[in-house]
Amino acid sequence: MSNPKPEQLVQIDYRPPSRDWMNPAVEFRRGTFCYSAAAKNLEYLNLPNPREWQPFDKDWKLPPDWKRIVLEGMRDRLRKFRSFRLFMDICVRCGACADKCHFYIGSGDPKNMPVLRAELLRSVYRRYFTLAGRLFGKLAGARDLTEDVVKEWFYYFYQCTECRRCSVFCPYGIDTAEITMIGRELLNLIGCNINWVLEPAANCFRTGNHLGVQPHGFKDSIDFAVDELEEITGVRVEAPINRKGAEILFIVPSADYFGTPHYYSLLGYLMLFHEIGLDYTFSAFASEGGNFGLFNSHEMIKRLNAKIYAEAKRLGVKWIVGAECGHMWRVLHQYMDTMNGPADFLEVPVSPVTGTRFDHARSTKMVHLCEFTADLIKHGKLKLDPSRNNHWNVTFHDSCNPSRAMGLLEEPRYILRNVCNHFHEMPENTIREQTFCCGSGSGLGTDENFEMRMRGGLPRANAVRYVRDKYGVNLLACICAIDKATLPPLLEYWTPGVEVAGVHELVGNALVMRGEAERKTDLRGQPLELQEAVHA
């Protein structure tokens, strides 16, 4: 059932299976798993055991001493990360997280309950690192590490988007996303990875961004956007690249200049910065804010992230602004200063337009664009005409990493309410800290696992369907590059008639620029429906 129809996929059986959960056997059925990483990408990244294989092969061509490698890797991480040992020990299997995972809701597979997914790793921990497990084995919930267990880990740890929704409901604060990260790291030690994570990582090393766009291609894309904006608005904006001495380094995900609907947000960024006269620069070296290392290993996070700090120092900027991207924002605010800092050569961000000092960014020296734009609107620095978005009836998807992980909840909503006349929230238990994931994050936004992506995205699509049917919503706004890529096929599958956009696309639509020509279309070229007066 790799290409099932919605009416087939929605038939979910939640009855517990008769087979004992300790049995690790899994069926690699097409549509439910991701393909393995190509050997060339492992070689480029200098990762272990590069070879040609696929998950449905009987022989995974593991190293001869694979078991020792995994157990030593687990021992090392138990010593290095106190949280890992804590999460292995304190779970009481209360089940508070069980029905909170979108993959369990969409599949009915008990091993997609966060508690049981973690137990797949915890059972091996017990067997080799606890006295009870060594003495009593299965009676203590311990399992031997076998090749079938490795295959089970691969199957289920790549059915977790590390969205952290389960952690919101855990009475002990266990972060199953961290357990998934460790599980993937252990698989990485023996060369069991997926291509949709490692190819973007390899591209990032080779060209500076996930898509493999070379510096001249990056410049061509930005120049094309500048030309198109002049056609739409009549205003010629500047988009400096690699300009030394600029006040601000602006970091975007590569999808913004090479994907749709991301590109329309890029147009919005360029319009905004021109209108306020921002002294900024792009970088052709740090042409990627996203960090697929988050889906592979802590070491890969550090390696990919370093280029942003290096480029900030080379260009001599004062501070950094980050565009709309989910995992970029979590990496930058939860890992950057620890892994690649301190950023003592940068200044605490201060808006050159409003004078607002962003003290919460004093360690990373980086501000999210939504914070920056919301501050401009609050201080009346932008002239906005919300009627230019009247053809959109908007709701907002809280992207997991900036919202649940980082608390960026009110700023995007504040912006939307100022640039749109028609905004409706989805049900409370599906937004903000409790937001449902798109079902395709953490490197799972590929085509070969289409069935599982649609299953994982079902809860989010249901909430969108609710506001579509009740309020006539036809646009889902978000601030994550992965969401912008994966939500369109999800909504087309479950909730037809709803488009996807970035928040700053809507800012660009509403922004009244000095010297602009009469605006007849939005940034997508669609006719405007001007019905209400301009808001200053």
Side-chain angles (χ1 to χ4, degrees):
M1 200 168 65
S2 58
N3 290 296
K5 296 184 182 298
E7 54 269 23
Q8 294 175 288
L9 212 60
V10 81
Q11 302 302 317
I12 303 167
D13 186 0
Y14 292 104
R15 292 175 298 178
S18 57
R19 190 175 65 184
D20 188 343
W21 75 266
M22 284 195 167
N23 183 337
V26 293
E27 178 190 359
F28 285 94
R29 181 169 50 81
R30 292 186 185 274
T32 63
F33 66 93
C34 297
Y35 293 156
S36 61
K40 65 177 183 179
N41 293 323
L42 274 71
E43 291 169 350
Y44 193 87
L45 294 167
N46 197 28
L47 294 177
N49 197 23
R51 80 274 186 213
E52 297 300 331
W53 69 286
Q54 286 299 340
F56 47 77
D57 294 340
K58 184 176 181 180
D59 181 6
W60 280 23
K61 303 176 184 176
L62 301 179
D65 57 344
W66 67 267
K67 186 172 181 178
R68 177 193 61 80
I69 293 171
V70 171
L71 292 177
E72 285 187 1
M74 186 177 286
R75 181 177 291 107
D76 177 61
R77 284 154 182 78
L78 287 166
R79 183 180 67 252
K80 187 183 298 183
F81 303 118
R82 182 174 178 269
S83 60
F84 179 37
R85 184 178 290 275
L86 194 66
F87 295 158
M88 290 293 97
D89 285 335
I90 65 174
C91 178
V92 296
R93 291 164 293 286
C94 67
C97 65
D99 60 346
K100 308 308 185 296
C101 176
H102 47 282
F103 278 115
Y104 172 66
I105 295 172
S107 70
D109 186 341
K111 290 187 180 180
N112 270 325
M113 294 178 180
V115 57
L116 192 44
R117 188 188 294 112
E119 202 71 11
L120 305 180
L121 189 62
R122 190 177 286 119
S123 58
V124 174
Y125 160 76
R126 289 197 196 98
R127 170 64 181 81
Y128 297 96
F129 298 96
T130 70
L131 180 61
R134 288 194 294 268
L135 291 176
F136 300 109
K138 187 175 181 179
L139 292 175
R143 297 191 301 171
D144 289 334
L145 179 59
T146 65
E147 287 194 31
D148 282 343
V149 167
V150 168
K151 293 178 179 181
E152 179 189 48
W153 284 1
F154 182 93
Y155 188 76
Y156 287 104
F157 287 134
Y158 285 105
Q159 287 182 24
C160 170
T161 50
E162 302 176 12
C163 80
R164 284 180 156 90
R165 189 173 195 265
C166 51
S167 66
V168 172
F169 298 91
C170 177
Y172 291 91
I174 295 172
D175 190 344
T176 307
E178 292 287 339
I179 297 174
T180 291
M181 290 171 69
I182 295 295
R184 291 187 181 186
E185 284 198 22
L186 297 177
L187 291 167
N188 184 62
L189 295 175
I190 53 176
C192 296
N193 357 63
I194 67 170
N195 203 57
W196 202 243
V197 168
L198 289 196
E199 183 163 332
N203 285 341
C204 210
F205 273 96
R206 183 168 56 86
T207 68
N209 56 75
H210 293 155
L211 297 177
V213 179
Q214 304 217 12
H216 60 277
F218 170 68
K219 184 179 186 304
D220 286 347
S221 295
I222 299 299
D223 288 346
F224 181 85
V226 169
D227 291 340
E228 185 162 15
L229 266 182
E230 187 172 18
E231 291 181 12
I232 296 171
T233 67
V235 177
R236 184 75 181 179
V237 307
E238 290 188 11
I241 300 173
N242 295 343
R243 182 165 66 83
K244 289 189 175 182
E247 181 174 1
I248 293 167
L249 172 62
F250 183 47
I251 301 292
V252 299
S254 53
D256 278 356
Y257 52 86
F258 228 76
T260 302
H262 316 67
Y263 173 74
Y264 306 118
S265 292
L266 172 66
L267 298 181
Y269 309 154
L270 296 177
M271 294 170 65
L272 175 69
F273 292 167
H274 173 85
E275 189 61 20
I276 63 174
L278 191 67
D279 181 16
Y280 79 102
T281 184
F282 288 98
S283 164
F285 175 66
S287 56
E288 178 66 72
N291 192 317
F292 270 54
L294 184 65
F295 315 140
N296 178 262
S297 69
H298 289 80
E299 179 59 29
M300 191 65 71
I301 295 173
K302 183 176 181 179
R303 290 168 68 186
L304 293 178
N305 189 68
K307 66 182 183 299
I308 295 176
Y309 266 9
E311 194 68 342
K313 179 175 283 189
R314 185 184 75 85
L315 294 174
V317 302
K318 293 181 179 179
W319 51 288
I320 307 170
V321 170
E324 296 180 2
C325 181
H327 56 293
M328 171 178 97
W329 202 241
R330 183 170 141 218
V331 166
L332 292 171
H333 262 267
Q334 290 189 335
Y335 296 102
M336 183 161 76
D337 188 56
T338 303
M339 291 181 168
N340 301 113
D344 50 10
F345 58 91
L346 296 173
E347 300 177 4
V348 176
V350 176
S351 172
V353 183
T354 67
T356 297
R357 179 183 172 94
F358 297 98
D359 281 312
H360 65 285
R362 60 184 175 273
S363 73
T364 60
K365 312 299 193 297
M366 186 162 185
V367 169
H368 193 284
L369 185 57
C370 280
E371 299 173 291
F372 185 73
T373 303
D375 178 64
L376 292 171
I377 294 173
K378 181 180 179 181
H379 286 87
K381 300 299 182 181
L382 302 178
K383 190 174 184 180
L384 302 170
D385 182 358
S387 70
R388 291 177 174 179
N389 283 312
N390 277 353
H391 54 304
W392 293 126
N393 202 338
V394 184
T395 191
F396 180 67
H397 164 63
D398 291 277
S399 304
C400 302
N401 284 314
S403 62
R404 182 161 40 239
M406 299 312 309
L408 197 66
L409 303 172
E410 299 307 325
E411 291 86 348
R413 288 177 165 82
Y414 180 78
I415 295 171
L416 289 172
R417 290 191 173 100
N418 279 275
V419 301
C420 301
N421 287 318
H422 311 297
F423 176 74
H424 302 279
E425 291 278 19
M426 287 180 277
E428 280 297 319
N429 63 338
T430 71
I431 60 173
R432 301 179 187 271
E433 292 90 343
Q434 297 186 43
T435 184
F436 274 114
C437 180
C438 66
S440 302
S442 78
L444 306 188
T446 181
D447 290 333
E448 61 260 23
N449 67 333
F450 181 81
E451 178 186 329
M452 195 51 63
R453 283 176 57 197
M454 295 303 103
R455 289 188 181 279
L458 174 61
R460 167 46 74 223
N462 272 344
V464 177
R465 178 183 289 267
Y466 175 82
V467 289
R468 183 201 67 179
D469 294 347
K470 185 171 183 178
Y471 303 113
V473 162
N474 62 0
L475 187 72
L476 178 64
C478 60
I479 53 173
C480 172
I482 286 181
D483 283 333
K484 292 173 194 173
T486 62
L487 284 170
L490 180 77
L491 297 183
E492 182 181 357
Y493 188 84
W494 289 116
T495 314
V498 181
E499 302 291 327
V500 177
V503 166
H504 279 80
E505 175 186 340
L506 302 178
V507 172
N509 285 344
L511 185 62
V512 180
M513 303 177 73
R514 290 183 294 271
E516 69 174 19
E518 182 183 357
R519 294 279 294 278
K520 296 181 179 179
T521 69
D522 66 6
L523 296 181
R524 300 189 181 200
Q526 299 177 135
L528 295 178
E529 298 177 8
L530 304 178
Q531 297 173 2
E532 299 186 21
V534 171
H535 290 203

